[in-house]
Structure formats: structure tokens, C-alpha cells
Amino acid sequence: MFALAKSKTKTSSRGQIAIKGVRDNILLLPNDQYRAVLHVSSLNFELKSEEEQDAIIDTYESFLNSVGSNLQVLIRTREIDMDKYLEELTQRLDGESESIYRKQLKNYDEFIRSLITTNKILTRHFYLVIPYGASKKADFELIKEQLSLKVDIVSKGMTRLGMHTKQLSSL
């Protein structure tokens, strides 16, 4: 029987996914591959009317047809640690002198505590990874310009869908 064992050697994330570096907000990968990453706001599709949903689907289809290259959609889901938030809420409750606000804060605190005992509180972040492959002799300024054009097309498409984008920076 084959079993997976945890490696005892520690390697950086950059080493594990073979990132050569980051320059001008662009990931440099092996084999002359480059990536720009956009953080994209969410859209609550289920809360839209049927007509709005149809319009979003049509706009999304048009967007995908206009991109002209592959995109990677990455969704990062993390459980939120509520301990710090609850501590801050308790501090606010302790510092509040008005009885009406103390009562509201106490009710809210009880509500949050009951909510997290039965549910996990999650946060989701959405990213679009935009690829670009270059020939070995390509100048980085040309690569940057071409990738910038792709980023602009994707950003405008997301805006038409009612979402906001922000390119991840080198920082």
C-alpha cells in the first residue's frame, strides 16, 4: 500500500511552484512564462433577479469570447479566526457607558458566539491568473506591455460584470 509521507525538508513556496522572481507586478516563471494576478471582487449571483442573472451570463459569455487566451480562476477559502474579533467586542462592551449600547453589544456578542458554535465563518478571495508566454529573445518591456493589455481587457470585462479588480503588486 502506498502512503504519502510529509517531507522533512522545508522549502519555500517560491521553490515549490518554481517562481523565478517577481518584477513590475509580474510573476517570472521557468521556460519564459509570465503571469499577472488580479484580485477580483465577488458577485452574489443568487441574490439577483432572473433577468439580471441572464444578463450576467450573457455578459460573462461575451467576456470569455473577448479574452482570446486562457485564464486561471483561483478561489482561496479560509476559515476566519473569530477570537480576536470577540476580544475586541468584549473590550468595546467593557468600555461602553450607555446602557442601551451595552445591551445591544451584549446581544450582538451572544449572537456571534452562538453563530460560530454551529457554523464556520469563512472568507473567500477570488483571483484571475493571466498567462503570457514569450519567445526567448523577447524584451521584458514588450512582455510587460502585452501582459498589461491582457490585464486591461480582463479588468474591463470584470467591470462590465459589476466586479472590481486590482492587480497584485510585488509588495
Side-chain angles (χ1 to χ4, degrees), residues 5-50:
K6 186 174 180 181
S7 173
K8 298 204 189 292
T9 60
K10 294 191 179 209
T11 58
S12 72
S13 299
R14 186 176 282 191
Q16 291 178 8
I17 56 175
I19 295 175
K20 289 171 42 179
V22 179
R23 183 172 164 197
D24 296 337
N25 305 331
I26 297 172
L27 291 174
L28 311 172
L29 304 176
N31 302 321
D32 299 308
Q33 295 293 311
Y34 303 88
R35 303 289 184 270
V37 182
L38 294 177
H39 184 261
V40 182
S41 66
S42 61
L43 176 75
N44 199 331
F45 188 76
E46 293 294 321
L47 293 180
K48 304 290 183 185
S49 70
E50 189 174 330

mmCIF file of all heavy atoms in Angstrom, residues 5-50:
data_model
loop_
_atom_site.group_PDB
_atom_site.id
_atom_site.type_symbol
_atom_site.label_atom_id
_atom_site.label_comp_id
_atom_site.label_asym_id
_atom_site.label_seq_id
_atom_site.Cartn_x
_atom_site.Cartn_y
_atom_site.Cartn_z
ATOM 1 N N ALA A 5 3.912 10.532 2.724
ATOM 2 C CA ALA A 5 4.580 10.948 3.952
ATOM 3 C C ALA A 5 4.955 12.408 3.818
ATOM 4 O O ALA A 5 5.342 12.877 2.753
ATOM 5 C CB ALA A 5 5.830 10.109 4.194
ATOM 6 N N LYS A 6 4.849 13.121 4.921
ATOM 7 C CA LYS A 6 5.206 14.533 4.933
ATOM 8 C C LYS A 6 6.719 14.659 4.818
ATOM 9 O O LYS A 6 7.469 13.970 5.498
ATOM 10 C CB LYS A 6 4.721 15.175 6.224
ATOM 11 C CG LYS A 6 4.925 16.661 6.262
ATOM 12 C CD LYS A 6 4.305 17.259 7.496
ATOM 13 C CE LYS A 6 4.522 18.755 7.515
ATOM 14 N NZ LYS A 6 3.952 19.359 8.695
ATOM 15 N N SER A 7 7.140 15.526 3.936
ATOM 16 C CA SER A 7 8.563 15.738 3.727
ATOM 17 C C SER A 7 9.177 16.395 4.953
ATOM 18 O O SER A 7 8.592 17.279 5.555
ATOM 19 C CB SER A 7 8.782 16.620 2.502
ATOM 20 O OG SER A 7 10.135 16.960 2.388
ATOM 21 N N LYS A 8 10.385 15.956 5.308
ATOM 22 C CA LYS A 8 11.060 16.526 6.460
ATOM 23 C C LYS A 8 11.885 17.759 6.086
ATOM 24 O O LYS A 8 12.302 18.509 6.938
ATOM 25 C CB LYS A 8 11.949 15.473 7.104
ATOM 26 C CG LYS A 8 11.142 14.281 7.617
ATOM 27 C CD LYS A 8 11.876 13.570 8.714
ATOM 28 C CE LYS A 8 11.210 12.280 9.099
ATOM 29 N NZ LYS A 8 9.959 12.361 9.724
ATOM 30 N N THR A 9 12.092 17.962 4.783
ATOM 31 C CA THR A 9 12.836 19.143 4.359
ATOM 32 C C THR A 9 11.871 20.287 4.108
ATOM 33 O O THR A 9 10.816 20.097 3.533
ATOM 34 C CB THR A 9 13.640 18.864 3.074
ATOM 35 O OG1 THR A 9 12.733 18.482 2.045
ATOM 36 C CG2 THR A 9 14.660 17.771 3.298
ATOM 37 N N LYS A 10 12.264 21.447 4.565
ATOM 38 C CA LYS A 10 11.415 22.624 4.385
ATOM 39 C C LYS A 10 11.880 23.377 3.152
ATOM 40 O O LYS A 10 13.055 23.629 2.971
ATOM 41 C CB LYS A 10 11.478 23.522 5.612
ATOM 42 C CG LYS A 10 10.886 22.871 6.830
ATOM 43 C CD LYS A 10 10.716 23.858 7.936
ATOM 44 C CE LYS A 10 10.083 23.119 9.114
ATOM 45 N NZ LYS A 10 9.298 23.952 9.934
ATOM 46 N N THR A 11 10.903 23.727 2.311
ATOM 47 C CA THR A 11 11.207 24.534 1.133
ATOM 48 C C THR A 11 10.233 25.704 1.094
ATOM 49 O O THR A 11 9.133 25.621 1.619
ATOM 50 C CB THR A 11 11.061 23.717 -0.165
ATOM 51 O OG1 THR A 11 9.737 23.204 -0.237
ATOM 52 C CG2 THR A 11 12.053 22.573 -0.219
ATOM 53 N N SER A 12 10.670 26.749 0.452
ATOM 54 C CA SER A 12 9.808 27.928 0.368
ATOM 55 C C SER A 12 8.708 27.691 -0.654
ATOM 56 O O SER A 12 8.817 26.840 -1.527
ATOM 57 C CB SER A 12 10.631 29.147 -0.031
ATOM 58 O OG SER A 12 11.008 29.048 -1.382
ATOM 59 N N SER A 13 7.653 28.471 -0.530
ATOM 60 C CA SER A 13 6.562 28.402 -1.507
ATOM 61 C C SER A 13 7.084 28.728 -2.896
ATOM 62 O O SER A 13 6.689 28.117 -3.878
ATOM 63 C CB SER A 13 5.455 29.390 -1.146
ATOM 64 O OG SER A 13 4.915 29.085 0.102
ATOM 65 N N ARG A 14 7.964 29.708 -2.971
ATOM 66 C CA ARG A 14 8.528 30.110 -4.260
ATOM 67 C C ARG A 14 9.255 28.938 -4.913
ATOM 68 O O ARG A 14 9.135 28.716 -6.111
ATOM 69 C CB ARG A 14 9.468 31.283 -4.075
ATOM 70 C CG ARG A 14 9.981 31.851 -5.368
ATOM 71 C CD ARG A 14 10.814 33.062 -5.145
ATOM 72 N NE ARG A 14 9.946 34.186 -4.893
ATOM 73 C CZ ARG A 14 10.353 35.439 -4.861
ATOM 74 N NH1 ARG A 14 11.608 35.730 -5.063
ATOM 75 N NH2 ARG A 14 9.516 36.422 -4.627
ATOM 76 N N GLY A 15 9.974 28.150 -4.118
ATOM 77 C CA GLY A 15 10.689 26.986 -4.650
ATOM 78 C C GLY A 15 9.751 25.872 -5.069
ATOM 79 O O GLY A 15 10.008 25.157 -6.038
ATOM 80 N N GLN A 16 8.665 25.712 -4.352
ATOM 81 C CA GLN A 16 7.719 24.646 -4.655
ATOM 82 C C GLN A 16 6.983 24.880 -5.959
ATOM 83 O O GLN A 16 6.644 23.941 -6.660
ATOM 84 C CB GLN A 16 6.714 24.475 -3.514
ATOM 85 C CG GLN A 16 7.326 23.912 -2.263
ATOM 86 C CD GLN A 16 6.311 23.800 -1.145
ATOM 87 O OE1 GLN A 16 5.127 24.004 -1.331
ATOM 88 N NE2 GLN A 16 6.788 23.461 0.041
ATOM 89 N N ILE A 17 6.703 26.126 -6.291
ATOM 90 C CA ILE A 17 5.961 26.388 -7.515
ATOM 91 C C ILE A 17 6.842 27.012 -8.594
ATOM 92 O O ILE A 17 6.355 27.507 -9.588
ATOM 93 C CB ILE A 17 4.711 27.259 -7.249
ATOM 94 C CG1 ILE A 17 5.083 28.564 -6.554
ATOM 95 C CG2 ILE A 17 3.690 26.512 -6.464
ATOM 96 C CD1 ILE A 17 3.919 29.506 -6.366
ATOM 97 N N ALA A 18 8.122 26.957 -8.390
ATOM 98 C CA ALA A 18 9.109 27.352 -9.394
ATOM 99 C C ALA A 18 8.944 28.784 -9.884
ATOM 100 O O ALA A 18 8.952 29.037 -11.084
ATOM 101 C CB ALA A 18 9.081 26.376 -10.566
ATOM 102 N N ILE A 19 8.811 29.703 -8.977
ATOM 103 C CA ILE A 19 8.787 31.115 -9.353
ATOM 104 C C ILE A 19 10.229 31.603 -9.394
ATOM 105 O O ILE A 19 10.958 31.487 -8.425
ATOM 106 C CB ILE A 19 7.971 31.958 -8.345
ATOM 107 C CG1 ILE A 19 6.511 31.541 -8.365
ATOM 108 C CG2 ILE A 19 8.116 33.435 -8.653
ATOM 109 C CD1 ILE A 19 5.655 32.240 -7.322
ATOM 110 N N LYS A 20 10.622 32.136 -10.535
ATOM 111 C CA LYS A 20 11.975 32.665 -10.669
ATOM 112 C C LYS A 20 12.092 34.032 -10.014
ATOM 113 O O LYS A 20 13.167 34.429 -9.581
ATOM 114 C CB LYS A 20 12.373 32.749 -12.137
ATOM 115 C CG LYS A 20 12.595 31.384 -12.758
ATOM 116 C CD LYS A 20 12.788 31.392 -14.268
ATOM 117 C CE LYS A 20 13.632 32.447 -14.846
ATOM 118 N NZ LYS A 20 13.782 32.349 -16.311
ATOM 119 N N GLY A 21 10.978 34.743 -9.961
ATOM 120 C CA GLY A 21 11.009 36.062 -9.358
ATOM 121 C C GLY A 21 9.742 36.838 -9.657
ATOM 122 O O GLY A 21 8.829 36.337 -10.309
ATOM 123 N N VAL A 22 9.710 38.070 -9.161
ATOM 124 C CA VAL A 22 8.602 38.981 -9.415
ATOM 125 C C VAL A 22 9.227 40.299 -9.851
ATOM 126 O O VAL A 22 10.135 40.814 -9.197
ATOM 127 C CB VAL A 22 7.730 39.198 -8.159
ATOM 128 C CG1 VAL A 22 6.607 40.173 -8.453
ATOM 129 C CG2 VAL A 22 7.190 37.887 -7.634
ATOM 130 N N ARG A 23 8.741 40.805 -10.964
ATOM 131 C CA ARG A 23 9.276 42.076 -11.478
ATOM 132 C C ARG A 23 8.122 42.894 -12.028
ATOM 133 O O ARG A 23 7.342 42.406 -12.855
ATOM 134 C CB ARG A 23 10.289 41.788 -12.586
ATOM 135 C CG ARG A 23 10.951 43.006 -13.145
ATOM 136 C CD ARG A 23 12.057 42.600 -14.093
ATOM 137 N NE ARG A 23 12.456 43.726 -14.910
ATOM 138 C CZ ARG A 23 13.153 43.614 -16.017
ATOM 139 N NH1 ARG A 23 13.532 42.425 -16.446
ATOM 140 N NH2 ARG A 23 13.467 44.681 -16.702
ATOM 141 N N ASP A 24 7.996 44.110 -11.552
ATOM 142 C CA ASP A 24 6.937 45.009 -12.010
ATOM 143 C C ASP A 24 5.561 44.357 -11.946
ATOM 144 O O ASP A 24 4.781 44.410 -12.898
ATOM 145 C CB ASP A 24 7.216 45.513 -13.425
ATOM 146 C CG ASP A 24 8.469 46.363 -13.511
ATOM 147 O OD1 ASP A 24 8.874 46.933 -12.475
ATOM 148 O OD2 ASP A 24 9.049 46.461 -14.607
ATOM 149 N N ASN A 25 5.280 43.681 -10.835
ATOM 150 C CA ASN A 25 3.986 43.027 -10.573
ATOM 151 C C ASN A 25 3.708 41.833 -11.488
ATOM 152 O O ASN A 25 2.559 41.432 -11.656
ATOM 153 C CB ASN A 25 2.827 44.021 -10.659
ATOM 154 C CG ASN A 25 3.023 45.213 -9.754
ATOM 155 O OD1 ASN A 25 3.665 45.109 -8.711
ATOM 156 N ND2 ASN A 25 2.503 46.352 -10.133
ATOM 157 N N ILE A 26 4.734 41.273 -12.075
ATOM 158 C CA ILE A 26 4.593 40.123 -12.968
ATOM 159 C C ILE A 26 5.404 38.969 -12.402
ATOM 160 O O ILE A 26 6.576 39.128 -12.050
ATOM 161 C CB ILE A 26 5.081 40.475 -14.392
ATOM 162 C CG1 ILE A 26 4.212 41.582 -14.991
ATOM 163 C CG2 ILE A 26 5.092 39.238 -15.286
ATOM 164 C CD1 ILE A 26 4.721 42.135 -16.310
ATOM 165 N N LEU A 27 4.758 37.799 -12.318
ATOM 166 C CA LEU A 27 5.461 36.599 -11.881
ATOM 167 C C LEU A 27 6.323 36.092 -13.031
ATOM 168 O O LEU A 27 5.845 35.934 -14.159
ATOM 169 C CB LEU A 27 4.477 35.499 -11.483
ATOM 170 C CG LEU A 27 3.657 35.717 -10.233
ATOM 171 C CD1 LEU A 27 2.628 34.602 -10.074
ATOM 172 C CD2 LEU A 27 4.550 35.768 -9.014
ATOM 173 N N LEU A 28 7.584 35.809 -12.739
ATOM 174 C CA LEU A 28 8.500 35.256 -13.723
ATOM 175 C C LEU A 28 8.615 33.762 -13.451
ATOM 176 O O LEU A 28 9.047 33.354 -12.371
ATOM 177 C CB LEU A 28 9.869 35.919 -13.608
ATOM 178 C CG LEU A 28 9.892 37.449 -13.561
ATOM 179 C CD1 LEU A 28 11.285 37.959 -13.260
ATOM 180 C CD2 LEU A 28 9.360 38.029 -14.846
ATOM 181 N N LEU A 29 8.230 32.948 -14.419
ATOM 182 C CA LEU A 29 8.239 31.504 -14.276
ATOM 183 C C LEU A 29 9.276 30.904 -15.217
ATOM 184 O O LEU A 29 9.744 31.564 -16.150
ATOM 185 C CB LEU A 29 6.846 30.930 -14.573
ATOM 186 C CG LEU A 29 5.690 31.491 -13.740
ATOM 187 C CD1 LEU A 29 4.365 30.900 -14.225
ATOM 188 C CD2 LEU A 29 5.887 31.216 -12.271
ATOM 189 N N PRO A 30 9.632 29.636 -15.018
ATOM 190 C CA PRO A 30 10.578 28.986 -15.943
ATOM 191 C C PRO A 30 10.018 28.919 -17.363
ATOM 192 O O PRO A 30 8.817 29.073 -17.592
ATOM 193 C CB PRO A 30 10.723 27.581 -15.356
ATOM 194 C CG PRO A 30 10.280 27.689 -13.943
ATOM 195 C CD PRO A 30 9.263 28.780 -13.911
ATOM 196 N N ASN A 31 10.898 28.658 -18.306
ATOM 197 C CA ASN A 31 10.553 28.476 -19.719
ATOM 198 C C ASN A 31 9.881 29.703 -20.329
ATOM 199 O O ASN A 31 8.949 29.577 -21.123
ATOM 200 C CB ASN A 31 9.673 27.234 -19.912
ATOM 201 C CG ASN A 31 10.339 25.981 -19.402
ATOM 202 O OD1 ASN A 31 11.542 25.804 -19.574
ATOM 203 N ND2 ASN A 31 9.571 25.135 -18.753
ATOM 204 N N ASP A 32 10.340 30.878 -19.930
ATOM 205 C CA ASP A 32 9.839 32.143 -20.486
ATOM 206 C C ASP A 32 8.323 32.280 -20.375
ATOM 207 O O ASP A 32 7.649 32.711 -21.308
ATOM 208 C CB ASP A 32 10.291 32.297 -21.940
ATOM 209 C CG ASP A 32 11.805 32.329 -22.060
ATOM 210 O OD1 ASP A 32 12.416 33.136 -21.335
ATOM 211 O OD2 ASP A 32 12.362 31.542 -22.844
ATOM 212 N N GLN A 33 7.804 31.918 -19.209
ATOM 213 C CA GLN A 33 6.383 32.061 -18.923
ATOM 214 C C GLN A 33 6.217 33.171 -17.886
ATOM 215 O O GLN A 33 7.035 33.322 -16.976
ATOM 216 C CB GLN A 33 5.796 30.750 -18.382
ATOM 217 C CG GLN A 33 5.810 29.616 -19.386
ATOM 218 C CD GLN A 33 4.878 29.897 -20.542
ATOM 219 O OE1 GLN A 33 3.729 30.265 -20.354
ATOM 220 N NE2 GLN A 33 5.395 29.737 -21.754
ATOM 221 N N TYR A 34 5.130 33.929 -18.033
ATOM 222 C CA TYR A 34 4.877 35.071 -17.162
ATOM 223 C C TYR A 34 3.412 35.053 -16.756
ATOM 224 O O TYR A 34 2.553 34.565 -17.489
ATOM 225 C CB TYR A 34 5.209 36.381 -17.896
ATOM 226 C CG TYR A 34 6.627 36.400 -18.381
ATOM 227 C CD1 TYR A 34 6.961 35.886 -19.635
ATOM 228 C CD2 TYR A 34 7.646 36.890 -17.578
ATOM 229 C CE1 TYR A 34 8.275 35.861 -20.077
ATOM 230 C CE2 TYR A 34 8.961 36.884 -18.009
ATOM 231 C CZ TYR A 34 9.261 36.359 -19.263
ATOM 232 O OH TYR A 34 10.565 36.343 -19.686
ATOM 233 N N ARG A 35 3.109 35.619 -15.569
ATOM 234 C CA ARG A 35 1.737 35.667 -15.078
ATOM 235 C C ARG A 35 1.475 36.994 -14.384
ATOM 236 O O ARG A 35 2.312 37.502 -13.649
ATOM 237 C CB ARG A 35 1.451 34.548 -14.056
ATOM 238 C CG ARG A 35 1.691 33.130 -14.516
ATOM 239 C CD ARG A 35 0.652 32.696 -15.533
ATOM 240 N NE ARG A 35 0.814 31.300 -15.905
ATOM 241 C CZ ARG A 35 1.569 30.860 -16.900
ATOM 242 N NH1 ARG A 35 2.271 31.710 -17.614
ATOM 243 N NH2 ARG A 35 1.632 29.576 -17.178
ATOM 244 N N ALA A 36 0.276 37.517 -14.628
ATOM 245 C CA ALA A 36 -0.240 38.646 -13.854
ATOM 246 C C ALA A 36 -1.409 38.090 -13.054
ATOM 247 O O ALA A 36 -2.149 37.231 -13.538
ATOM 248 C CB ALA A 36 -0.698 39.770 -14.774
ATOM 249 N N VAL A 37 -1.574 38.569 -11.847
ATOM 250 C CA VAL A 37 -2.639 38.068 -10.986
ATOM 251 C C VAL A 37 -3.532 39.231 -10.574
ATOM 252 O O VAL A 37 -3.051 40.252 -10.082
ATOM 253 C CB VAL A 37 -2.068 37.364 -9.727
ATOM 254 C CG1 VAL A 37 -3.192 36.813 -8.865
ATOM 255 C CG2 VAL A 37 -1.097 36.260 -10.113
ATOM 256 N N LEU A 38 -4.838 39.048 -10.806
ATOM 257 C CA LEU A 38 -5.817 40.052 -10.420
ATOM 258 C C LEU A 38 -6.652 39.543 -9.263
ATOM 259 O O LEU A 38 -7.143 38.410 -9.298
ATOM 260 C CB LEU A 38 -6.770 40.356 -11.584
ATOM 261 C CG LEU A 38 -6.205 41.016 -12.826
ATOM 262 C CD1 LEU A 38 -7.291 41.171 -13.875
ATOM 263 C CD2 LEU A 38 -5.611 42.373 -12.487
ATOM 264 N N HIS A 39 -6.818 40.372 -8.252
ATOM 265 C CA HIS A 39 -7.764 40.082 -7.180
ATOM 266 C C HIS A 39 -9.104 40.618 -7.663
ATOM 267 O O HIS A 39 -9.200 41.759 -8.111
ATOM 268 C CB HIS A 39 -7.334 40.779 -5.883
ATOM 269 C CG HIS A 39 -8.210 40.452 -4.730
ATOM 270 N ND1 HIS A 39 -9.208 41.295 -4.304
ATOM 271 C CD2 HIS A 39 -8.255 39.380 -3.905
ATOM 272 C CE1 HIS A 39 -9.822 40.764 -3.268
ATOM 273 N NE2 HIS A 39 -9.266 39.588 -3.014
ATOM 274 N N VAL A 40 -10.143 39.790 -7.607
ATOM 275 C CA VAL A 40 -11.444 40.155 -8.157
ATOM 276 C C VAL A 40 -12.483 40.144 -7.041
ATOM 277 O O VAL A 40 -12.535 39.217 -6.231
ATOM 278 C CB VAL A 40 -11.867 39.160 -9.266
ATOM 279 C CG1 VAL A 40 -13.192 39.570 -9.879
ATOM 280 C CG2 VAL A 40 -10.791 39.055 -10.333
ATOM 281 N N SER A 41 -13.315 41.183 -7.010
ATOM 282 C CA SER A 41 -14.389 41.224 -6.017
ATOM 283 C C SER A 41 -15.431 40.167 -6.361
ATOM 284 O O SER A 41 -15.487 39.665 -7.482
ATOM 285 C CB SER A 41 -15.034 42.616 -5.987
ATOM 286 O OG SER A 41 -15.704 42.873 -7.207
ATOM 287 N N SER A 42 -16.259 39.849 -5.400
ATOM 288 C CA SER A 42 -17.277 38.818 -5.611
ATOM 289 C C SER A 42 -18.577 39.433 -6.114
ATOM 290 O O SER A 42 -18.773 40.644 -6.085
ATOM 291 C CB SER A 42 -17.522 38.049 -4.314
ATOM 292 O OG SER A 42 -17.983 38.928 -3.315
ATOM 293 N N LEU A 43 -19.461 38.556 -6.549
ATOM 294 C CA LEU A 43 -20.769 38.950 -7.042
ATOM 295 C C LEU A 43 -21.749 37.906 -6.531
ATOM 296 O O LEU A 43 -21.551 36.711 -6.776
ATOM 297 C CB LEU A 43 -20.768 38.976 -8.578
ATOM 298 C CG LEU A 43 -22.076 39.283 -9.271
ATOM 299 C CD1 LEU A 43 -22.375 40.777 -9.153
ATOM 300 C CD2 LEU A 43 -21.992 38.898 -10.738
ATOM 301 N N ASN A 44 -22.773 38.327 -5.806
ATOM 302 C CA ASN A 44 -23.735 37.361 -5.274
ATOM 303 C C ASN A 44 -24.815 37.095 -6.313
ATOM 304 O O ASN A 44 -25.844 37.765 -6.360
ATOM 305 C CB ASN A 44 -24.332 37.848 -3.956
ATOM 306 C CG ASN A 44 -24.935 36.700 -3.176
ATOM 307 O OD1 ASN A 44 -25.391 35.709 -3.761
ATOM 308 N ND2 ASN A 44 -24.925 36.823 -1.864
ATOM 309 N N PHE A 45 -24.539 36.104 -7.134
ATOM 310 C CA PHE A 45 -25.399 35.744 -8.265
ATOM 311 C C PHE A 45 -26.786 35.318 -7.807
ATOM 312 O O PHE A 45 -27.789 35.644 -8.425
ATOM 313 C CB PHE A 45 -24.711 34.613 -9.041
ATOM 314 C CG PHE A 45 -25.360 34.252 -10.334
ATOM 315 C CD1 PHE A 45 -25.202 35.055 -11.446
ATOM 316 C CD2 PHE A 45 -26.120 33.101 -10.451
ATOM 317 C CE1 PHE A 45 -25.787 34.730 -12.654
ATOM 318 C CE2 PHE A 45 -26.715 32.760 -11.648
ATOM 319 C CZ PHE A 45 -26.544 33.578 -12.752
ATOM 320 N N GLU A 46 -26.855 34.592 -6.705
ATOM 321 C CA GLU A 46 -28.136 34.058 -6.214
ATOM 322 C C GLU A 46 -29.115 35.139 -5.784
ATOM 323 O O GLU A 46 -30.319 34.926 -5.796
ATOM 324 C CB GLU A 46 -27.902 33.091 -5.050
ATOM 325 C CG GLU A 46 -27.185 31.809 -5.438
ATOM 326 C CD GLU A 46 -28.010 30.939 -6.368
ATOM 327 O OE1 GLU A 46 -29.241 30.846 -6.177
ATOM 328 O OE2 GLU A 46 -27.430 30.374 -7.311
ATOM 329 N N LEU A 47 -28.611 36.303 -5.392
ATOM 330 C CA LEU A 47 -29.494 37.388 -4.948
ATOM 331 C C LEU A 47 -30.031 38.226 -6.103
ATOM 332 O O LEU A 47 -30.873 39.095 -5.901
ATOM 333 C CB LEU A 47 -28.766 38.294 -3.959
ATOM 334 C CG LEU A 47 -28.413 37.667 -2.614
ATOM 335 C CD1 LEU A 47 -27.685 38.673 -1.731
ATOM 336 C CD2 LEU A 47 -29.650 37.128 -1.906
ATOM 337 N N LYS A 48 -29.553 37.946 -7.308
ATOM 338 C CA LYS A 48 -30.004 38.690 -8.486
ATOM 339 C C LYS A 48 -31.322 38.119 -8.994
ATOM 340 O O LYS A 48 -31.620 36.942 -8.828
ATOM 341 C CB LYS A 48 -28.956 38.622 -9.603
ATOM 342 C CG LYS A 48 -27.577 39.117 -9.208
ATOM 343 C CD LYS A 48 -27.567 40.601 -9.013
ATOM 344 C CE LYS A 48 -26.155 41.081 -8.701
ATOM 345 N NZ LYS A 48 -26.121 42.481 -8.406
ATOM 346 N N SER A 49 -32.102 38.971 -9.659
ATOM 347 C CA SER A 49 -33.344 38.501 -10.282
ATOM 348 C C SER A 49 -32.987 37.613 -11.474
ATOM 349 O O SER A 49 -31.842 37.602 -11.942
ATOM 350 C CB SER A 49 -34.178 39.692 -10.751
ATOM 351 O OG SER A 49 -33.553 40.320 -11.845
ATOM 352 N N GLU A 50 -33.967 36.906 -11.977
ATOM 353 C CA GLU A 50 -33.730 36.008 -13.112
ATOM 354 C C GLU A 50 -33.229 36.786 -14.335
ATOM 355 O O GLU A 50 -32.324 36.337 -15.045
ATOM 356 C CB GLU A 50 -35.005 35.240 -13.454
ATOM 357 C CG GLU A 50 -34.782 34.144 -14.465
ATOM 358 C CD GLU A 50 -36.025 33.294 -14.690
ATOM 359 O OE1 GLU A 50 -36.834 33.133 -13.753
ATOM 360 O OE2 GLU A 50 -36.164 32.788 -15.815
#
